[in-house]
């Protein structure tokens, strides 16, 4: 569970000394999307099937996860619009940081649910989401600030991931098959949102090179091979 926390901090340290170009960011986002898709296809979805939970539980949990992530998106857009209408730059950073911490806490709970399910699910999800957290540090550097402040923010994000991962694992330890499967279905919806509505959408905001598609598949293949 400490892996994504450490990676989040390293992302902040990297962002403090290196500002990647838009093309480099797009490549990183494509690679991260491929890794998370592999985590879904290779580990998470097969684990949900192995739980043999009622279909109504899985459908309801997936729908709830979709609505939850959609709600976070609407909330984030509202914060951005409020900040755009304000002359205070600090309000923009604060609003985006709050939404980011909620998103990261959700990632931590997803990892905890994976560990509660047993097997290698938790480890696979931790490694997969670590790629996202590595990029998150660099993304925050462009939105907030650089130097020691971004390192401190990344460290706080890593701590949040660790706390919610431990909390999720503790709350779901010994839970029923239906409850664990529902938590994993909720997680699957959250990860699909992360890939389709965050990573790839932001990656396509710049004119990408044809090789970007290969980078996505490289991320999938690299994680699948591991």
């Amino acid at each position: 569970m400490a892996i994504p926390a450490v990676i989040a901090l390293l992302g902040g340290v990297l962002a403090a000394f290196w500002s990647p170009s838009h093309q480099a960011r797009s490549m990183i986002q494509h690679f991260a999307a491929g890794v998370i898709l592999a985590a879904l296809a290779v580990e998470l979805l097969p684990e949900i099937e192995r739980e043999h939970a009622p279909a109504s539980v899985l459908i309801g949990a997936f729908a709830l996860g979709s609505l939850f992530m959609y709600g976070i998106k609407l909330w984030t857009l509202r914060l951005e619009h409020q900040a755009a209408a304000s002359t205070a730059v600090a309000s923009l950073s604060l609003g985006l940081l709050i939404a980011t911490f909620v998103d990261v806490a959700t990632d931590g709970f997803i990892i905890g649910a994976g560990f509660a399910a047993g097997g290698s699910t938790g480890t696979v999800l931790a490694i997969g989401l670590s790629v996202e957290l590595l990029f998150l540090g660099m993304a925050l550097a462009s939105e907030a600030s650089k130097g020691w402040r971004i390192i401190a923010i990344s460290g706080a994000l890593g701590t949040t991931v660790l706390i919610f991962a431990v909390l999720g694992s503790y709350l779901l330890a010994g839970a029923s098959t239906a409850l664990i499967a529902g938590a994993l279905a909720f997680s699957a919806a959250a990860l699909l949102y992360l890939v389709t509505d965050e990573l790839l959408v932001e990656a396509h905001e710049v004119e990408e090179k044809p090789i970007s598609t290969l980078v996505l598949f490289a991320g999938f293949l690299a994680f699948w091979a591991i």
Side-chain angles (χ1 to χ4, degrees), residues 8-22 25 28-29 89 92-93 96-97 100-101 132-155 157 202:
L9 178 59
L10 292 178
V13 173
L14 182 62
F17 299 99
W18 177 57
S19 181
S21 65
H22 292 297
R25 289 178 185 272
I28 295 171
Q29 288 166 324
V89 179
L92 172 61
S93 300
L96 291 177
L97 281 177
T100 301
F101 270 94
E132 176 215 354
L133 292 171
L134 178 64
F135 165 76
L136 189 58
M138 292 182 286
L140 286 176
S142 62
E143 296 293 345
S145 61
K146 295 184 179 181
W148 290 107
R149 185 182 179 188
I150 195 62
I151 295 177
I153 293 173
S154 299
L157 288 173
E202 293 178 3

Side-chain angles (χ1 to χ4, degrees), residues 3 12 18 28 33 35-36 40-41 45 53 59 75 77 86 153 160 166 168 170 188 191-192 196 220 224:
I3 293 175
W18 177 57
I28 295 171
V35 169
I36 295 176
L40 271 168
L45 294 179
I59 294 173
W75 181 42
L77 290 175
S86 174
I153 293 173
T160 302
V166 173
Y170 174 77
L191 291 179
L192 279 175
T196 59
F220 190 102
W224 188 18

Side-chain angles (χ1 to χ4, degrees), residues 4-70:
V6 174
I7 294 297
L9 178 59
L10 292 178
V13 173
L14 182 62
F17 299 99
W18 177 57
S19 181
S21 65
H22 292 297
Q23 289 293 342
R25 289 178 185 272
S26 178
M27 293 289 186
I28 295 171
Q29 288 166 324
H30 276 86
F31 188 86
V35 169
I36 295 176
L37 285 174
L40 271 168
V42 175
E43 187 64 35
L44 188 55
L45 294 179
E47 180 62 32
I48 293 174
E49 185 177 357
R50 285 193 292 268
E51 295 294 335
H52 298 292
S56 58
V57 172
L58 299 180
I59 294 173
F62 189 91
L64 183 63
S66 304
L67 292 174
F68 176 76
M69 298 306 295
Y70 180 68

Side-chain angles (χ1 to χ4, degrees), residues 101-184:
F101 270 94
V102 173
D103 190 19
V104 167
T106 304
D107 291 345
F109 188 81
I110 290 172
I111 294 171
F115 278 105
S120 60
T121 304
T123 303
V124 167
L125 291 176
I127 296 175
L129 288 172
S130 292
V131 180
E132 176 215 354
L133 292 171
L134 178 64
F135 165 76
L136 189 58
M138 292 182 286
L140 286 176
S142 62
E143 296 293 345
S145 61
K146 295 184 179 181
W148 290 107
R149 185 182 179 188
I150 195 62
I151 295 177
I153 293 173
S154 299
L157 288 173
T159 303
T160 302
V161 169
L162 181 59
I163 290 175
F164 276 85
V166 173
L167 183 63
S169 178
Y170 174 77
L171 293 177
L172 294 174
S176 64
T177 299
L179 183 58
I180 292 179
L184 294 178

